[in-house]
Protein backbone atom coordinates (compact mmCIF):
# COMPACT_ATOMS: atom_id res chain seq x y z
CA UNK A 1 0.00 0.00 0.00
CA UNK A 2 2.82 2.30 0.89
CA UNK A 3 4.59 1.58 -2.46
CA UNK A 4 1.45 2.33 -4.39
CA UNK A 5 1.09 5.74 -2.71
CA UNK A 6 4.71 6.62 -3.51
CA UNK A 7 4.26 5.70 -7.17
CA UNK A 8 1.08 7.73 -7.41
CA UNK A 9 2.78 10.79 -5.91
CA UNK A 10 5.66 10.51 -8.30
CA UNK A 11 3.34 10.37 -11.28
CA UNK A 12 1.45 13.43 -10.09
CA UNK A 13 4.71 15.36 -9.67
CA UNK A 14 5.95 14.46 -13.14
CA UNK A 15 2.66 15.51 -14.67
CA UNK A 16 2.88 18.83 -12.94
CA UNK A 17 6.39 19.36 -14.21
CA UNK A 18 5.30 18.49 -17.74
CA UNK A 19 2.42 20.93 -17.62
CA UNK A 20 4.71 23.64 -16.31
CA UNK A 21 7.24 22.97 -19.07
CA UNK A 22 4.61 23.16 -21.77
CA UNK A 23 3.34 26.39 -20.29
CA UNK A 24 6.84 27.91 -20.26
CA UNK A 25 7.51 26.75 -23.87
CA UNK A 26 4.30 28.33 -25.04
CA UNK A 27 5.21 31.57 -23.29
CA UNK A 28 8.65 31.54 -24.98
CA UNK A 29 7.09 30.96 -28.39
CA UNK A 30 4.73 33.83 -27.77
CA UNK A 31 7.60 36.14 -26.87
CA UNK A 32 9.64 35.02 -29.96
CA UNK A 33 6.66 35.52 -32.23
CA UNK A 34 6.10 38.97 -30.85
CA UNK A 35 9.80 39.88 -31.29
CA UNK A 36 9.86 38.59 -34.89
CA UNK A 37 6.74 40.42 -35.84
CA UNK A 38 8.25 43.79 -34.86
CA UNK A 39 11.65 43.44 -36.73
CA UNK A 40 12.46 45.27 -40.17
CA UNK A 41 12.84 43.15 -43.40
CA UNK A 42 16.40 42.13 -44.52
CA UNK A 43 18.07 44.73 -46.92
CA UNK A 44 18.35 43.93 -50.67
CA UNK A 45 21.78 42.99 -52.18
CA UNK A 46 23.94 45.96 -53.35
CA UNK A 47 23.99 46.55 -57.15
CA UNK A 48 27.05 48.37 -58.56
CA UNK A 49 26.22 51.49 -60.63
CA UNK A 50 28.42 51.66 -63.75
CA UNK A 51 28.85 54.21 -66.58
CA UNK A 52 28.19 52.77 -70.03
CA UNK A 53 28.70 53.81 -73.66
CA UNK A 54 27.14 52.54 -76.85
CA UNK A 55 29.18 50.78 -79.50
CA UNK A 56 28.97 53.18 -82.46
CA UNK A 57 29.72 52.72 -86.13
CA UNK A 58 31.70 55.46 -87.89
CA UNK A 59 34.22 56.14 -90.67
CA UNK A 60 37.76 56.61 -89.38
CA UNK A 61 41.07 57.57 -91.06
CA UNK A 62 43.76 54.89 -91.26
CA UNK A 63 47.32 56.03 -90.58
CA UNK A 64 50.79 54.53 -90.73
CA UNK A 65 53.11 55.86 -88.03
CA UNK A 66 56.89 56.17 -88.25
CA UNK A 67 59.80 57.75 -86.44
CA UNK A 68 61.30 60.51 -88.59
CA UNK A 69 64.01 63.16 -88.67
CA UNK A 70 63.99 66.71 -89.99
CA UNK A 71 66.30 67.65 -92.87
CA UNK A 72 66.69 70.99 -94.67
CA UNK A 73 65.84 71.24 -98.35
CA UNK A 74 68.95 73.38 -98.86
CA UNK A 75 71.95 73.88 -96.61
CA UNK A 76 75.09 75.64 -97.82
CA UNK A 77 78.41 76.91 -96.55
CA UNK A 78 78.97 80.62 -97.24
CA UNK A 79 82.39 81.33 -98.75
CA UNK A 80 83.91 84.25 -100.63
CA UNK A 81 84.27 84.19 -104.42
CA UNK A 82 87.00 86.86 -104.38
CA UNK A 83 89.91 87.37 -101.96
CA UNK A 84 90.10 90.36 -99.67
CA UNK A 85 89.63 91.67 -96.17
CA UNK A 86 86.26 91.10 -94.54
CA UNK A 87 84.84 94.56 -94.04
CA UNK A 88 81.41 94.01 -92.47
CA UNK A 89 78.94 91.37 -91.33
CA UNK A 90 75.57 92.93 -92.15
CA UNK A 91 73.33 90.10 -90.82
CA UNK A 92 73.64 88.90 -87.24
CA UNK A 93 74.28 85.32 -86.22
CA UNK A 94 71.11 83.24 -86.34
CA UNK A 95 69.20 85.89 -88.30
CA UNK A 96 66.34 84.94 -90.61
CA UNK A 97 67.23 86.43 -93.99
CA UNK A 98 65.48 86.68 -97.32
CA UNK A 99 66.85 85.84 -100.73
CA UNK A 100 69.09 88.65 -101.97
CA UNK A 101 69.85 90.14 -98.55
CA UNK A 102 73.48 91.26 -98.04
CA UNK A 103 75.17 89.07 -95.46
CA UNK A 104 78.87 90.07 -95.67
CA UNK A 105 80.97 92.75 -97.35
CA UNK A 106 84.58 92.43 -98.49
CA UNK A 107 86.66 95.56 -98.97
CA UNK A 108 85.80 96.68 -102.55
CA UNK A 109 88.68 99.14 -103.20
CA UNK A 110 90.87 96.79 -105.27
CA UNK A 111 87.93 95.62 -107.35
CA UNK A 112 86.72 99.16 -107.98
CA UNK A 113 90.19 100.14 -109.19
CA UNK A 114 90.32 97.14 -111.53
CA UNK A 115 86.93 98.10 -112.94
CA UNK A 116 88.01 101.70 -113.55
CA UNK A 117 91.14 100.50 -115.32
CA UNK A 118 89.16 98.14 -117.56
CA UNK A 119 86.72 100.90 -118.46
CA UNK A 120 89.62 103.20 -119.40
CA UNK A 121 91.04 100.55 -121.68
CA UNK A 122 87.66 100.21 -123.34
CA UNK A 123 87.60 103.95 -123.98
CA UNK A 124 91.12 103.78 -125.48
CA UNK A 125 90.19 100.84 -127.70
CA UNK A 126 87.02 102.60 -128.81
CA UNK A 127 89.07 105.58 -130.00
CA UNK A 128 91.57 103.31 -131.75
CA UNK A 129 88.73 101.48 -133.44
CA UNK A 130 87.15 104.71 -134.66
CA UNK A 131 90.45 105.83 -136.21
CA UNK A 132 91.04 102.44 -137.82
CA UNK A 133 87.55 102.46 -139.27
CA UNK A 134 88.03 105.96 -140.75
CA UNK A 135 91.47 105.08 -142.07
CA UNK A 136 90.08 102.00 -143.79
CA UNK A 137 87.31 104.08 -145.36
CA UNK A 138 89.82 106.49 -146.85
CA UNK A 139 91.96 103.59 -148.03
CA UNK A 140 89.01 102.05 -149.79
CA UNK A 141 88.47 105.21 -151.88
CA UNK A 142 92.19 105.46 -152.64
CA UNK A 143 92.36 101.79 -153.64
CA UNK A 144 89.48 102.29 -156.08
CA UNK A 145 91.26 105.21 -157.78
CA UNK A 146 94.57 103.32 -157.84
CA UNK A 147 96.44 105.58 -155.38
CA UNK A 148 96.76 102.88 -152.67
CA UNK A 149 98.44 99.55 -153.22
CA UNK A 150 96.79 96.33 -152.07
CA UNK A 151 99.31 95.63 -149.27
CA UNK A 152 98.64 98.99 -147.63
CA UNK A 153 94.89 98.38 -147.93
CA UNK A 154 95.26 94.98 -146.27
CA UNK A 155 97.24 96.53 -143.42
CA UNK A 156 94.48 99.05 -142.77
CA UNK A 157 91.92 96.19 -142.77
CA UNK A 158 94.03 94.22 -140.31
CA UNK A 159 94.44 97.24 -138.05
CA UNK A 160 90.63 97.63 -137.92
CA UNK A 161 90.11 93.99 -136.96
CA UNK A 162 92.79 94.18 -134.26
CA UNK A 163 91.08 97.25 -132.81
CA UNK A 164 87.74 95.43 -132.80
CA UNK A 165 89.25 92.41 -131.04
CA UNK A 166 91.05 94.58 -128.48
CA UNK A 167 87.80 96.40 -127.71
CA UNK A 168 85.92 93.12 -127.25
CA UNK A 169 88.67 91.84 -124.96
CA UNK A 170 88.61 94.89 -122.74
CA UNK A 171 84.80 94.92 -122.69
CA UNK A 172 85.01 91.38 -121.30
CA UNK A 173 87.54 92.66 -118.76
CA UNK A 174 85.00 95.29 -117.68
CA UNK A 175 82.36 92.61 -117.14
CA UNK A 176 84.83 90.53 -115.13
CA UNK A 177 85.75 93.54 -113.00
CA UNK A 178 82.05 94.29 -112.43
CA UNK A 179 81.46 90.70 -111.32
CA UNK A 180 84.42 90.79 -108.95
CA UNK A 181 83.12 94.02 -107.50
CA UNK A 182 79.67 92.51 -107.04
CA UNK A 183 81.24 89.46 -105.36
CA UNK A 184 82.60 91.79 -102.69
CA UNK A 185 79.04 91.70 -101.34
CA UNK A 186 77.90 88.22 -100.30
CA UNK A 187 74.13 87.87 -100.74
CA UNK A 188 71.74 85.20 -99.47
CA UNK A 189 71.06 82.80 -102.36
CA UNK A 190 67.74 81.77 -100.80
CA UNK A 191 65.51 82.56 -97.84
CA UNK A 192 66.70 80.86 -94.67
CA UNK A 193 68.43 81.18 -91.33
CA UNK A 194 72.10 81.96 -90.69
CA UNK A 195 74.21 79.97 -88.29
CA UNK A 196 77.16 81.09 -86.17
CA UNK A 197 79.70 83.45 -87.74
CA UNK A 198 83.09 81.81 -88.37
CA UNK A 199 85.16 84.75 -89.66
CA UNK A 200 85.62 87.97 -87.74
CA UNK A 201 85.64 91.38 -89.40
CA UNK A 202 89.17 92.10 -90.67
CA UNK A 203 89.92 88.50 -91.63
CA UNK A 204 91.72 88.05 -94.92
CA UNK A 205 89.46 85.63 -96.76
CA UNK A 206 90.51 83.50 -99.69
CA UNK A 207 88.53 82.18 -102.60
CA UNK A 208 86.52 79.10 -101.52
CA UNK A 209 88.90 78.64 -98.62
CA UNK A 210 87.54 80.62 -95.68
CA UNK A 211 84.17 79.55 -94.28
CA UNK A 212 82.11 82.57 -93.26
CA UNK A 213 78.85 80.98 -92.09
CA UNK A 214 76.15 78.45 -92.95
CA UNK A 215 72.68 79.10 -94.33
CA UNK A 216 69.80 76.61 -94.16
CA UNK A 217 66.32 76.76 -95.62
CA UNK A 218 63.61 76.20 -93.00
CA UNK A 219 60.37 76.74 -94.92
CA UNK A 220 59.42 74.37 -96.40
CA UNK A 221 61.44 71.56 -94.90
CA UNK A 222 61.91 67.82 -95.39
CA UNK A 223 60.81 65.07 -93.00
CA UNK A 224 62.62 61.82 -93.80
CA UNK A 225 61.48 58.41 -92.53
CA UNK A 226 61.92 54.72 -93.36
CA UNK A 227 58.80 52.62 -93.99
CA UNK A 228 59.19 48.86 -93.96
CA UNK A 229 58.93 46.97 -97.21
CA UNK A 230 55.72 45.35 -95.95
CA UNK A 231 54.07 48.80 -95.87
CA UNK A 232 55.35 49.79 -99.29
CA UNK A 233 52.48 48.24 -101.28
CA UNK A 234 49.88 50.02 -99.13
CA UNK A 235 51.68 53.34 -99.48
CA UNK A 236 52.01 52.99 -103.25
CA UNK A 237 48.32 52.15 -103.50
CA UNK A 238 47.52 55.34 -101.58
CA UNK A 239 49.82 57.37 -103.86
CA UNK A 240 48.04 55.99 -106.90
CA UNK A 241 44.73 57.28 -105.51
CA UNK A 242 46.06 60.83 -105.02
CA UNK A 243 48.37 62.92 -102.82
CA UNK A 244 49.21 61.27 -99.50
CA UNK A 245 48.76 63.65 -96.57
CA UNK A 246 51.40 63.56 -93.84
CA UNK A 247 51.10 64.84 -90.28
CA UNK A 248 54.09 65.61 -88.05
CA UNK A 249 53.92 65.20 -84.28
CA UNK A 250 56.55 66.85 -82.12
CA UNK A 251 57.73 65.11 -78.94
CA UNK A 252 54.93 65.27 -76.38
CA UNK A 253 52.23 66.16 -78.91
CA UNK A 254 49.09 64.05 -79.38
CA UNK A 255 47.55 66.21 -82.10
CA UNK A 256 49.47 67.34 -85.15
CA UNK A 257 50.03 71.04 -85.91
CA UNK A 258 52.32 70.56 -88.93
CA UNK A 259 51.04 68.99 -92.13
CA UNK A 260 52.43 68.32 -95.58
CA UNK A 261 52.55 65.82 -98.41
CA UNK A 262 54.53 62.71 -99.27
CA UNK A 263 56.84 63.80 -102.11
CA UNK A 264 59.54 61.14 -102.46
CA UNK A 265 60.07 57.39 -102.15
CA UNK A 266 63.50 55.99 -102.97
CA UNK A 267 63.99 53.43 -105.73
CA UNK A 268 65.78 50.78 -103.66
CA UNK A 269 64.94 48.84 -100.48
CA UNK A 270 67.85 48.57 -98.06
CA UNK A 271 68.55 44.83 -97.93
CA UNK A 272 70.15 45.06 -94.49
CA UNK A 273 67.16 46.70 -92.77
CA UNK A 274 64.24 45.86 -95.06
CA UNK A 275 63.22 49.52 -95.19
CA UNK A 276 63.06 52.20 -97.86
CA UNK A 277 63.75 55.92 -97.57
CA UNK A 278 60.75 58.20 -97.96
CA UNK A 279 60.38 61.93 -97.59
CA UNK A 280 57.58 64.43 -97.00
CA UNK A 281 57.66 68.16 -97.64
CA UNK A 282 56.20 70.15 -94.74
CA UNK A 283 55.32 73.82 -94.49
CA UNK A 284 57.24 75.38 -91.61
CA UNK A 285 56.24 79.03 -91.57
CA UNK A 286 56.54 79.25 -87.76
CA UNK A 287 59.94 77.47 -87.76
CA UNK A 288 58.72 74.85 -85.27
CA UNK A 289 60.70 72.16 -87.08
CA UNK A 290 64.50 72.35 -87.07
CA UNK A 291 67.06 70.29 -89.02
CA UNK A 292 68.29 67.28 -87.06
CA UNK A 293 65.16 67.11 -84.91
CA UNK A 294 63.48 63.72 -84.34
CA UNK A 295 59.68 63.60 -84.68
CA UNK A 296 56.90 61.17 -85.56
CA UNK A 297 54.98 61.20 -88.84
CA UNK A 298 51.57 59.78 -89.71
CA UNK A 299 50.65 58.91 -93.30
CA UNK A 300 46.94 59.09 -94.04
CA UNK A 301 46.56 56.23 -96.49
CA UNK A 302 42.78 55.62 -96.56
CA UNK A 303 39.40 55.86 -94.84
CA UNK A 304 37.82 52.83 -93.12
CA UNK A 305 33.99 52.95 -93.14
CA UNK A 306 31.63 51.26 -90.64
CA UNK A 307 34.23 50.74 -87.92
CA UNK A 308 32.79 49.68 -84.52
CA UNK A 309 34.21 52.15 -82.01
CA UNK A 310 34.34 52.06 -78.19
CA UNK A 311 36.15 54.25 -75.64
CA UNK A 312 39.67 53.05 -74.93
CA UNK A 313 38.92 53.38 -71.19
CA UNK A 314 36.52 50.43 -71.49
CA UNK A 315 39.30 47.98 -72.40
CA UNK A 316 40.62 45.46 -69.92
CA UNK A 317 43.49 42.98 -70.15
CA UNK A 318 43.87 39.41 -68.98
CA UNK A 319 46.01 36.40 -69.78
CA UNK A 320 43.56 35.57 -72.57
CA UNK A 321 43.92 39.02 -74.18
CA UNK A 322 41.90 42.21 -74.38
CA UNK A 323 38.28 42.16 -73.23
CA UNK A 324 35.24 44.38 -72.74
CA UNK A 325 32.52 44.23 -70.10
CA UNK A 326 29.13 44.46 -71.83
CA UNK A 327 25.70 44.97 -70.27
CA UNK A 328 24.06 41.53 -70.65
CA UNK A 329 20.55 40.18 -70.06
CA UNK A 330 18.95 41.29 -66.83
CA UNK A 331 21.57 44.03 -66.35
CA UNK A 332 24.35 41.59 -65.58
CA UNK A 333 28.01 41.76 -66.61
CA UNK A 334 28.95 39.90 -69.78
CA UNK A 335 32.68 39.58 -70.55
CA UNK A 336 33.67 39.60 -74.24
CA UNK A 337 37.14 38.86 -75.61
CA UNK A 338 37.85 41.32 -78.46
CA UNK A 339 40.40 41.98 -81.19
CA UNK A 340 41.49 45.58 -81.68
CA UNK A 341 41.83 47.73 -84.78
CA UNK A 342 43.15 51.27 -85.29
CA UNK A 343 42.51 54.10 -82.86
CA UNK A 344 40.90 57.47 -83.51
CA UNK A 345 41.36 59.97 -80.70
CA UNK A 346 39.97 58.44 -77.49
CA UNK A 347 38.18 55.66 -79.40
CA UNK A 348 39.45 52.29 -80.60
CA UNK A 349 38.03 50.10 -83.35
CA UNK A 350 36.83 46.62 -82.36
CA UNK A 351 37.24 44.01 -85.08
CA UNK A 352 35.38 41.20 -83.29
CA UNK A 353 33.53 40.53 -80.04
CA UNK A 354 30.83 43.23 -80.02
CA UNK A 355 28.07 44.49 -82.27
CA UNK A 356 26.60 47.90 -83.01
CA UNK A 357 24.25 49.01 -80.25
CA UNK A 358 25.91 46.98 -77.47
CA UNK A 359 26.51 48.87 -74.27
CA UNK A 360 30.05 48.59 -72.93
CA UNK A 361 30.94 49.41 -69.35
CA UNK A 362 33.47 52.24 -69.12
CA UNK A 363 33.98 52.63 -65.37
CA UNK A 364 34.27 50.72 -62.07
CA UNK A 365 35.90 47.89 -64.00
CA UNK A 366 37.93 46.77 -60.97
CA UNK A 367 34.79 46.33 -58.85
CA UNK A 368 32.76 44.08 -61.15
CA UNK A 369 33.08 40.66 -62.72
CA UNK A 370 31.22 38.37 -65.11
CA UNK A 371 27.66 37.61 -64.03
CA UNK A 372 27.41 40.38 -61.40
CA UNK A 373 24.25 42.49 -61.35
CA UNK A 374 24.82 46.12 -62.29
CA UNK A 375 22.90 49.35 -62.65
CA UNK A 376 23.82 51.20 -65.91
CA UNK A 377 24.01 54.96 -65.39
CA UNK A 378 22.33 57.27 -67.92
CA UNK A 379 24.69 58.30 -70.72
CA UNK A 380 25.65 61.96 -70.91
CA UNK A 381 24.95 63.60 -74.27
CA UNK A 382 28.04 64.41 -76.34
CA UNK A 383 29.11 68.05 -76.21
Amino acid sequence: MRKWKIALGTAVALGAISVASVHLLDMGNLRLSASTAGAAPAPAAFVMPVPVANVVKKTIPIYLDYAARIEPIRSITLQARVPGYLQEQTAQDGADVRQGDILYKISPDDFQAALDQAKAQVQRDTATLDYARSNLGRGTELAKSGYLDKDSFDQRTSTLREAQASLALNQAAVRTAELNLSYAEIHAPFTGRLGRNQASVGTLVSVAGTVLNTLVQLDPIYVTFNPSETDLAEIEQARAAGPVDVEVLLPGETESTQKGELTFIDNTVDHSTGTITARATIGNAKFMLMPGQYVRVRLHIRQQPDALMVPQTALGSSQLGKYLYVVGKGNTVDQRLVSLGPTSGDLVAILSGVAEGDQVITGNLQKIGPGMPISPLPQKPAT
Side-chain angles (χ1 to χ4, degrees), residues 5 18 24 38-39 51 70 72 97 102 111 117 122 138-139 154 157 198 202 205 209 238 241 251 267 304 314 326 357:
K5 289 181 180 180
S18 299
L24 290 173
I70 307 299
V97 296
I102 300 176
F111 309 112
Q117 181 180 0
V122 167
R138 289 190 299 270
D154 291 342
T157 303
Q198 300 181 47
V205 298
N267 57 6
Q304 178 175 327
V326 180

Side-chain angles (χ1 to χ4, degrees), residues 118-130:
K119 287 181 176 180
Q121 290 175 344
V122 167
Q123 293 176 351
R124 181 197 62 189
D125 290 341
T126 301
T128 302
L129 178 61
D130 290 341

Side-chain angles (χ1 to χ4, degrees), residues 206-219:
S206 59
V207 178
T210 305
V211 175
L212 303 179
N213 210 320
T214 57
L215 179 67
V216 296
Q217 180 178 338
L218 297 181
D219 182 30

Side-chain angles (χ1 to χ4, degrees), residues 60-250:
I60 61 172
I62 302 300
Y63 295 98
L64 295 177
D65 290 5
Y66 302 101
R69 60 192 178 276
I70 307 299
E71 295 180 352
I73 293 179
R74 288 184 286 185
S75 177
I76 63 168
T77 299
L78 295 175
Q79 294 177 294
R81 301 182 66 174
V82 292
Y85 287 97
L86 191 62
Q87 186 180 63
E88 183 181 0
Q89 177 186 353
T90 57
Q92 298 301 314
D93 292 0
D96 294 319
V97 296
R98 302 187 64 83
Q99 182 177 356
D101 288 352
I102 300 176
L103 308 180
Y104 290 91
K105 290 183 179 180
I106 297 173
S107 177
D109 297 340
D110 294 341
F111 309 112
Q112 184 64 55
L115 176 60
D116 294 341
Q117 181 180 0
K119 287 181 176 180
Q121 290 175 344
V122 167
Q123 293 176 351
R124 181 197 62 189
D125 290 341
T126 301
T128 302
L129 178 61
D130 290 341
Y131 173 77
R133 187 177 290 115
S134 300
N135 196 28
L136 180 61
R138 289 190 299 270
T140 301
E141 295 299 326
L142 292 174
K144 287 179 181 180
S145 60
Y147 290 102
L148 184 66
D149 60 283
K150 188 176 184 309
D151 183 66
S152 299
F153 179 78
D154 291 342
Q155 287 181 358
R156 296 188 182 192
T157 303
S158 176
T159 301
L160 175 64
R161 291 177 179 175
E162 289 178 359
Q164 290 173 335
S166 179
L167 177 61
L169 179 63
N170 286 310
Q171 286 175 337
V174 168
R175 290 192 295 271
T176 300
E178 289 174 342
L179 284 174
N180 289 337
L181 181 60
S182 67
Y183 293 156
E185 292 182 347
I186 300 174
H187 297 257
F190 53 83
T191 299
R193 177 173 292 181
L194 281 175
R196 179 176 58 87
N197 179 52
Q198 300 181 47
S200 301
V201 172
T203 300
L204 178 60
V205 298
S206 59
V207 178
T210 305
V211 175
L212 303 179
N213 210 320
T214 57
L215 179 67
V216 296
Q217 180 178 338
L218 297 181
D219 182 30
I221 203 165
Y222 285 149
V223 179
T224 302
F225 54 99
N226 299 95
S228 66
E229 57 184 331
T230 56
D231 294 338
L232 185 57
E234 201 167 9
I235 295 174
E236 289 292 358
Q237 185 177 1
R239 291 182 74 191
V244 178
D245 294 331
V246 177
E247 299 179 359
V248 178
L249 285 82
L250 296 172

Side-chain angles (χ1 to χ4, degrees), residues 6 18 25 49 51 200 246 261 296 328 357:
I6 292 172
S18 299
L25 181 61
S200 301
V246 177
E261 181 180 331
R296 292 199 63 81

